[in-house]
Amino acid sequence: MGKKGKKECETPCKETFEPLPVEGKTPATVVLLLSSPEEDILVKACEAIHTFAEKGDENKLSLLGLGALEPLSKLISHNNKLVRRNAFMALGIMAANGDVKSALKKFDVIPSIIDKLSLEEDTVVHEFATLCLASLSVDFVCKVQIFDNKGLPPLIQLLSSPDPDVQKNSIDVIFNLVQDHQSRLALHELAGIPPVLELLKSDFPVIQHLALKMLRSVTTDKDTCKAFREEQGFEKLMDILSNTDLSDLHAEALQVVANCVGDSEGFQLIHKDGGLTRLMEFVLTSTVPEIQSSAVKCIARVAQSSESRKLLHEQNVEKVLVELLSAADIGVKAAGCQAVSAMSFHLASKDCFRDLGGIPAVVQLLNGEDLALKEAATQALSNLTHSNQLNAHAVYEAGGHEILVQQLYASCPRTVANSAATLGNMAGQEVIRCSILSRGAIQALVEPLKSTDTQVLVNATLCLVELACDTDARAELQSAGGLEPLVNLLRTYHKELLHNACLAINVCASDMPTAVEMCKFGALEMLQEINQSVNRRSTFSKLAMISLLNSNLSVKYSLTGHLAATDIITDGFYDAGKARPGQRILTLQELSKQPVDEHRPIIAVNTATEETVDVPEERQSNPSEADTGSKGDRRTPRKKKEDDKQKDETQPESPTEKPWKMMDDESLQVLVEKVKESVLPLSDEREQYAALARLVSDAMGGAVEMEKLHEFPWVLHLSELKFQLQCNVVPIGLISRGFYCHRALLFKCLADCIGMSCTLVRGEYSRAWNELLLFNGNISRNERSSQPCCYIVDLMHLPGSLLKAGTPAAEQYQTFHWRCDF
């Protein structure tokens, strides 16, 4: 073929076919036609797909599989209005299917749809475009896309469309959008409330329901609620509520009203227009549970302000609410409890509920299975019993405390929090508290103390503060493992919770065992950190710290280096030396189990006696103890013989480890008896202190001249005791060569045993001393001074001498001198 012939073949033919009827019997064929360049074919293909898709989800999925979405998503922007309209019809129907909707998100079709929402566009396009958006807007990503592509303004305009389908679809999309805060704000700014209110007049119930549904959502926003009231929205709702022909709208209308009456302005509106009376009528006369419960919820919202509660009380709302607690419908009873909770902030209403038998009725609701009802009932009891002992007693008489203890195990955090609050309110009365404790309340509180819900923790700790004032309760809390989670709450930065935790620790620290246990879990270190923080410290944290130290004198002495005259040393006290800031102080049991080291020994106090053996010969014949009279009576535990030790090593270990016990100290027991016999009978207070000082000095190696202090072998003696006992803990009664710190501790211990008053103060370099207050002058001649003087008792150099505090002699006794001490 020549070039000329070839060129003629390539030239397009200007002739066209006569109209050719096309019949597509399979979906695949019709989908192929969507790619046709001929508009007539596109119109018919889109129409056919719309008809096919309307028949069911199976057909929609079939079209999805054949690839119909991509060409349809392009055809909605076609220049031909008819093609565009039919494409939207097909796409809108298909988008109702979940799989189609998910696939459609990949084609970025939302901007194209929004572009066709202008008022100039065909109404049918509006209908199916909004139908498509209604399906897509349930997805969060699509909601963001619609908002970002400025879809809200045209949708608000379409609310005024003459076509009810367009109205219905548009408000459906807007409802989905306003679930997000930014869209609610935008709706208010774009004046979207008036067209929504107009839809309340629609002849189509579905549109009215959607309008109320959206108003209920947007009126949760304060600014939108204000705009709603400014547009006479409240009045329009009251018109609906007054129309018995619109009873199907009453429940939803009441839900919107509930959002609008919580503040004083809303209350004024409802009171001015007789709305409150209308609400009461709904509560009393309605036989529809949903309407009745919605009306009661409105009353609960109205009761948020004190002025409203006063007015409701004047209308005897309490009587109505108590009657509702016996309603058949669970929702009505729950709403009734919520209203009771709100009205309980009015003092007179609290008494009314009790007098009307409302409290037993609320308690009875705790026996049900419905979780929401239990939550509402426990909240009502919490408010009713707050600062009201008569109501608390009424709950107790109704057996409510038994059920509330069981509710502490509930799965709903709000129910647990409310139950703990109610029990705390009731526990202020001793009879009720004892009964609550007998029902296992302490054990039940352990799990709430581990909760991640802040309100549960706040209420549980406050409840514990009330219950743990009982000694047995504190012991039970310790055995139940409740002290560790309580101490862990000191890590919180929530102010109220931290305050409550400190209060609970303050109460639990009343007993030494619980105080020691809490220190074991790091309570002191955490409280030290809190009290050093400007933002976290409070009077509560300081109080908790003081209580812990006062109930754990060993730790107090290590941390502060001072025991007051009111701090009475008892069995179990030990001096572990001066603690560094932030250092955890180990318990006596932990210290006794450590391997023998080269550090200074821990000095322990224990006056209890068990089987002991005589003092070794080397100690009995010590010349320095020859003049102490009773030294031969002092006793020490027998050191294990080597063959016994070998025998023990060959024997298998006991399957159950014996409980730890303190080392016996019969020598201290002997000293205590001697003090009671020789010091206590003395009539003169000064002579008592002097005699006690001499006895302590004799027991600890006698007087030591200042110049020969460096020759006093107290360090070697203590090392020998540690080796002999094979333990870092040394009973104080075994020390026969004691330094300042040992003598001062023994003096304080013996003085406390017989009721004599003195302090114990730690100095530097193993120094310690005792301070005591004495009146000057002669008692028999009435020459006592009005103010006592502070003295330091000499236990080391001139035993029995009383050195007036602040004098050179006293300062020399307290101060380290290297020539003397080493």
Side-chain angles (χ1 to χ4, degrees), residues 508-814:
C508 292
S510 302
D511 301 322
M512 189 179 74
T514 51
V516 171
E517 185 84 356
M518 288 189 289
C519 290
K520 178 181 174 182
F521 295 128
L524 273 176
E525 291 76 21
M526 285 187 263
L527 285 169
Q528 282 179 297
E529 182 183 342
I530 290 168
N531 288 328
Q532 289 170 1
S533 169
V534 176
N535 296 324
R536 300 182 69 205
R537 70 187 176 202
S538 65
T539 53
F540 302 104
S541 61
K542 293 174 184 176
L543 183 64
M545 182 78 170
I546 292 170
S547 296
L548 270 181
L549 293 178
N550 288 341
S551 294
N552 195 342
L553 297 183
S554 304
V555 174
K556 181 178 183 178
Y557 189 48
S558 287
L559 283 176
T560 66
H562 184 273
L563 292 184
T566 53
D567 295 326
I568 307 302
I569 290 178
T570 57
D571 289 349
F573 178 89
Y574 62 99
D575 178 10
K578 185 178 181 179
R580 296 187 300 273
Q583 171 192 353
R584 179 176 173 262
I585 299 168
L586 301 179
T587 64
L588 186 59
Q589 181 177 356
E590 290 170 330
L591 290 167
S592 66
K593 291 181 178 179
Q594 289 183 333
V596 178
D597 53 38
E598 297 179 354
H599 300 299
R600 60 160 286 172
I602 290 84
I603 311 302
V605 173
N606 182 22
T607 58
T609 58
E610 286 192 13
E611 183 181 355
T612 53
V613 295
D614 291 336
V615 179
E617 291 181 3
E618 59 178 357
R619 179 165 177 180
Q620 292 179 2
S621 59
N622 192 312
S624 66
E625 299 175 6
D627 60 342
T628 60
S630 64
K631 289 290 181 177
D633 295 333
R634 301 185 69 183
R635 305 162 76 83
T636 184
R638 187 196 309 272
K639 182 184 177 183
K640 288 183 179 179
K641 295 181 180 180
E642 290 300 320
D643 55 343
D644 289 337
K645 185 177 181 181
Q646 293 175 0
K647 181 179 179 181
D648 291 341
E649 289 174 353
T650 59
Q651 290 178 344
E653 293 185 5
S654 172
T656 57
E657 185 179 352
K658 292 182 179 179
W660 177 85
K661 63 180 289 295
M662 284 185 66
M663 197 178 298
D664 301 328
D665 190 357
E666 188 174 333
S667 300
L668 180 60
Q669 174 78 15
V670 172
L671 284 174
V672 171
E673 293 301 321
K674 186 177 292 186
V675 167
K676 290 178 180 178
E677 294 171 2
S678 61
V679 177
L680 195 57
L682 299 174
S683 58
D684 184 72
E685 192 176 19
R686 286 174 177 269
E687 185 53 37
Q688 280 183 320
Y689 283 113
L692 180 60
R694 289 189 292 270
L695 190 148
V696 168
S697 177
D698 291 344
M700 289 280 182
V704 181
E705 295 179 15
M706 184 77 75
E707 293 75 12
K708 295 183 179 180
L709 196 59
H710 64 285
E711 299 176 3
F712 189 62
W714 66 279
V715 176
L716 178 61
H717 170 61
L718 290 174
S719 297
E720 289 174 346
L721 280 177
K722 281 177 63 175
F723 177 76
Q724 179 186 3
L725 298 170
Q726 284 299 295
C727 184
N728 292 319
V729 178
V730 174
I732 193 169
L734 301 185
I735 301 175
S736 60
R737 296 176 185 86
F739 205 53
Y740 292 89
C741 55
H742 312 115
R743 297 183 184 212
L745 175 56
L746 181 59
F747 185 89
K748 170 70 171 166
C749 172
L750 295 175
D752 288 344
C753 284
I754 60 173
M756 293 174 62
S757 177
C758 73
T759 69
L760 175 61
V761 184
R762 189 193 304 280
E764 298 293 333
Y765 303 102
S766 301
R767 293 285 181 120
W769 57 88
N770 306 100
E771 296 173 344
L772 44 99
L773 294 175
L774 290 173
F775 288 94
N776 292 324
N778 193 307
I779 301 176
S780 60
R781 296 178 184 175
N782 257 343
E783 295 176 356
R784 268 196 170 186
S785 60
S786 59
Q787 295 294 328
C789 293
C790 179
Y791 292 91
I792 293 171
V793 59
D794 189 337
L795 304 171
M796 198 77 194
H797 311 299
L798 297 172
S801 299
L802 300 180
L803 312 175
K804 190 172 183 179
T807 61
E811 291 176 356
Q812 184 180 32
Y813 188 85
Q814 297 168 295

Side-chain angles (χ1 to χ4, degrees), residues 384-451:
L384 283 167
T385 56
H386 181 70
S387 300
N388 194 305
Q389 292 192 2
L390 291 176
N391 282 1
H393 199 269
V395 175
Y396 167 68
E397 288 182 333
H401 61 298
E402 300 178 36
I403 310 173
L404 288 167
V405 169
Q406 295 307 311
Q407 294 304 316
L408 294 176
Y409 295 102
S411 58
C412 175
R414 298 297 91 194
T415 301
V416 175
N418 296 336
S419 300
T422 309
L423 289 169
N425 294 339
M426 298 171 67
Q429 301 178 56
E430 186 177 358
V431 174
I432 300 177
R433 181 174 64 251
C434 293
S435 187
I436 291 172
L437 290 171
S438 69
R439 299 300 189 276
I442 293 295
Q443 178 69 52
L445 277 173
V446 174
E447 281 306 312
L449 289 175
K450 301 174 185 176
S451 174

